[in-house]
Amino acid sequence: MRTYAMTGGATGIGAQLRQQLLDDGHTVISVDIKEGDVVADLSTAEGRQAAIEGVRALAPDGLDGFIPCAGLPPVAKPLSLITGVNYFAVIATVQGLRDLLEKKRGSVLFVSSNSAPMVASDDPYVAACLAGDEDAACSDIEGRDGHTAYAGSKRALTLWMRRHVVEYAAAGVRLNAVAPGITMTPLTERVYADAELGSVMKEFGDSVPVGRTAQPADIANVMRFMLSDAASYVCGSIFFVDGGSDAMLRPDDF
Ligand code: NAD
C-alpha cells in the first residue's frame, strides 16, 4: 500500500480523490485550511512551511505521490489570493517535498484546468509567476480580472510542470497534470452564485459537448489512474477531463 500527500482534501475533487485512495487501502495525508491531517493556510509563507513540515513529519519514509489540489475560484478576493494558493503554494510544496518523492520514485499530479490555455503563455502575469516573483505577480493581477487570475495561475503551473519534467524524471519523479472542466464542487457553486461570472460559467457549462458538467468522481477516477502503476510511463502529460470543451474551443491546437 502506498503513501500519498495532498492539499485541498477537505471538499470537492480533492475529497473525492482522497476517499478513493483510502478505499484502495492507501495512506493519505491531507493538508487543508478547513480540516485535515495538517491544517494550514497555503496563501501564506508560514502556512506553506507548516504544510511541508507537517507532511514531512507524517511521511518520513517518503511519498509515492503528491497532489497539490487546493485552489481558489476566479471570484476569490483579493485576486492575489488566487495567485498565492493556485500557483506559488503549489510550487513551494512540490519543491519542499521533492526529496520525499525521490525516495519512493513517486509522482506529482498537478491540478490544472481547461481554462489554462485561455491566457497566453507570454502574458506578464504568467511570466511573473514563472520567474518566481510572487510580489510582481500579485501586483500585476490586482489591476486585472478574476478569470485572468485563475486561468493564468493554471497556465503558469502547467508550464512550470512541463519545464521541470526532464529534471524531475532524472531524479525518478514523474510530473503530470489533470485539466478538469467545470465540476460541481463548492468552488463552482461560488462561481455560479457570482453576479458577474455566474451566467458566463453556466452558459459554458451548458455548452459541454458530452451534454453535462462533471461530478468530482469524473475527475478523481482519472487522477487515481494517473497515480497508479498502470500510468507508470505517463510523464509530462496534461490530461483534459472536460467532456470535450477544450477540443471544442481549440480544435486545431494541441
Ligand atoms: P473546492 O473548493 O471544493 O476545494 C478546494 C479545496 O482547497 C478546499 O478543501 C479548500 O478548503 C482548500 N483550500 C482553499 N484555500 C486554501 C488555503 N488557503 N489553504 C489550504 N487549503 C485551501 O474546489 P474544487 O473544485 O474541488 O477544486 C479543486 C482543484 O480543482 C482546484 O485546484 C481547482 O482550481 C481545480 N479545478 C476545479 C474545477 C471546477 O470546475 N470545480 C475546474 C478545473 C480545475
Side-chain angles (χ1 to χ4, degrees), residues 69 82 123 171 202 208:
C69 187
I82 302 171
D123 185 283
K202 282 180 195 158
V208 178

Side-chain angles (χ1 to χ4, degrees), residues 7-15 31-35 40-44 68-73 81 85-86 111-115 150 154 157 178-188 190 201 216 219:
T7 67
T11 63
I13 295 168
V31 178
D32 203 284
I33 194 170
K34 289 183 187 143
E35 60 181 19
D41 178 358
L42 292 164
S43 70
T44 68
C69 187
L72 288 171
L81 264 185
V85 175
N86 293 16
V111 184
S112 181
S113 161
N114 71 348
S115 66
Y150 181 84
K154 298 297 187 179
L157 81 78
V178 66
I182 299 180
T183 309
M184 300 321 292
T185 67
L187 178 149
T188 296
R190 278 181 74 184
M201 284 295 279
I219 313 303

Side-chain angles (χ1 to χ4, degrees), residues 3 28 37 54 56 62 81 84 92 114-115 126 128 147 156-158 180 191 196:
T3 301
V28 183
D37 305 293
R56 298 189 73 84
L81 264 185
N114 71 348
S115 66
V126 174
H147 171 72
L157 81 78
T158 313
V191 182
E196 252 175 67

Side-chain angles (χ1 to χ4, degrees), residues 69-91:
C69 187
L72 288 171
V75 296
K77 297 278 165 26
L79 296 180
S80 56
L81 264 185
I82 302 171
T83 313
V85 175
N86 293 16
Y87 181 79
F88 285 97
V90 172
I91 307 308

Side-chain angles (χ1 to χ4, degrees), residues 4-236:
Y4 294 100
M6 67 185 303
T7 67
T11 63
I13 295 168
Q16 179 65 223
L17 177 67
R18 177 176 169 273
Q19 195 55 55
Q20 288 194 7
L21 294 172
L22 289 173
D23 290 347
D24 286 343
H26 302 302
T27 297
V28 183
I29 300 161
S30 176
V31 178
D32 203 284
I33 194 170
K34 289 183 187 143
E35 60 181 19
D37 305 293
V38 181
V39 174
D41 178 358
L42 292 164
S43 70
T44 68
E46 300 74 40
R48 293 169 201 166
Q49 199 48 43
I52 293 164
E53 282 167 16
V55 172
R56 298 189 73 84
L58 292 169
D61 298 331
L63 290 170
D64 295 286
F66 176 53
I67 310 102
C69 187
L72 288 171
V75 296
K77 297 278 165 26
L79 296 180
S80 56
L81 264 185
I82 302 171
T83 313
V85 175
N86 293 16
Y87 181 79
F88 285 97
V90 172
I91 307 308
T93 48
V94 168
Q95 290 175 328
L97 299 173
R98 176 177 166 164
D99 61 315
L100 292 184
L101 289 155
E102 288 178 9
K103 270 190 184 179
K104 290 191 144 197
R105 300 184 73 79
S107 75
V108 180
L109 181 53
F110 292 84
V111 184
S112 181
S113 161
N114 71 348
S115 66
M118 297 175 192
V119 177
S121 56
D122 61 355
D123 185 283
Y125 169 57
V126 174
C129 287
L130 286 163
D133 191 337
E134 189 161 358
D135 288 343
C138 288
S139 75
D140 179 90
I141 207 59
E142 280 309 340
R144 300 178 72 184
D145 61 278
H147 171 72
T148 305
Y150 181 84
S153 71
K154 298 297 187 179
R155 177 71 158 185
L157 81 78
T158 313
L159 285 169
W160 190 96
M161 184 276 283
R162 296 278 290 181
R163 290 179 182 184
H164 288 81
V165 160
V166 174
E167 178 192 329
Y168 275 66
V173 179
R174 291 177 301 110
L175 305 182
N176 290 293
V178 66
I182 299 180
T183 309
M184 300 321 292
T185 67
L187 178 149
T188 296
E189 280 164 27
R190 278 181 74 184
V191 182
Y192 274 16
D194 186 70
E196 252 175 67
L197 276 180
S199 56
V200 182
M201 284 295 279
K202 282 180 195 158
E203 216 174 289
F204 189 40
D206 288 342
S207 76
V208 178
V210 300
R212 65 173 179 88
T213 52
Q215 292 298 320
D218 291 311
I219 313 303
N221 292 342
V222 175
M223 296 172 78
R224 178 172 165 234
F225 159 73
M226 291 178 84
L227 291 162
S228 76
D229 279 347
S232 61
Y233 201 63
V234 180
C235 184

